[in-house]
Amino acid sequence: MTINLEAEAAARAENNAALIAALDQAGPSEVESSWELDVINDTEHGRWIAALGAEAIAELTYRFVGGRVVLLYTWVDPAYRRNRVATELVARVLDEIRESGKKITIICPVVGEFIARNPEYLDLIDKVHPGAGAYPRHEPAGGQDDERLTAFEHDLT
C-alpha cells in the first residue's frame, strides 16, 4: 500500500482550517454544541472521542511523553462542523487534563487556536516543550512544516 504524504498533509491542513474557522469567540463556560455530547477518553487508542449517542463524531488524539500530554490532531465529522463540536471537545479535554495536574504539548493547530482564543488555558502549556501548535498567532514565517516536524520529533524524545 502506497501512502501519498502530500495528499494526507493537504487533507489534514484542510481539516484544520475548517475546524479553526468553526471555533468561535465564546468562553469555555459558554461552550455547548447543539447536542448532548459524551466525551470519552479512549486510553487504549490514545484519543478522546466526542460521541452523540453511539456515534463517534469527533476525536482528539494524544500521546503521553515525558509526563506530558501531547495533543496531536483534532478531527470532526464534516456533517457536525460549525456546531461547536470541536470547541466543546477541546474545552472538555483541557478541563480533564487540568484536573489530572499534567501539562500539555500542542502539535494540533486547532488546540493552539482554541487556547489563543481562551487564554485561561495557557497555564496548561508545558514551558519547556510547548509544541509547534502552541502559539499559532506567533509562528515564524516560512518553513513551518519542517519546524513542526522537528518540534514533534524533539518532543517525542
Side-chain angles (χ1 to χ4, degrees):
M1 178 166 90
T2 303
I3 297 173
N4 185 335
L5 295 177
E6 288 179 12
E8 282 190 24
R12 193 174 309 113
E14 183 178 321
N15 176 68
N16 288 338
L19 293 178
I20 289 170
L23 293 175
D24 54 34
Q25 299 294 336
S29 62
E30 302 169 24
V31 171
E32 295 179 68
S33 68
S34 303
W35 308 281
E36 289 292 323
L37 292 178
D38 291 317
V39 175
I40 303 152
N41 187 352
D42 177 7
T43 56
E44 183 177 336
H45 296 102
R47 62 188 178 171
W48 276 278
I49 300 170
L52 183 59
E55 182 181 6
I57 63 170
E59 71 178 47
L60 174 53
T61 59
Y62 69 92
R63 298 292 177 266
F64 289 111
V65 177
R68 303 179 317 274
V69 182
V70 180
L71 301 173
L72 299 170
Y73 183 73
T74 304
W75 173 84
V76 176
D77 183 316
Y80 295 96
R81 291 183 185 159
R82 302 220 178 268
N83 290 292
R84 302 178 74 185
V85 173
T87 303
E88 185 169 345
L89 173 62
V90 172
R92 290 174 62 182
V93 165
L94 293 176
D95 288 341
E96 185 175 323
I97 292 170
R98 174 171 278 139
E99 289 176 16
S100 76
K102 295 193 180 303
K103 294 292 185 183
I104 62 173
T105 295
I106 304 169
I107 303 304
C108 177
V110 175
V111 174
E113 186 63 32
F114 176 87
I115 292 175
R117 294 177 184 203
N118 299 280
E120 59 272 23
Y121 290 104
L122 281 169
D123 64 304
L124 293 175
I125 299 173
D126 185 281
K127 303 295 185 224
V128 177
H129 302 284
Y135 304 104
R137 294 185 182 165
H138 304 289
E139 289 180 348
Q144 293 173 358
D145 292 338
D146 290 339
E147 290 175 23
R148 284 187 178 151
L149 179 60
T150 301
F152 179 68
E153 291 171 343
H154 176 40
D155 285 341
L156 290 178
T157 60

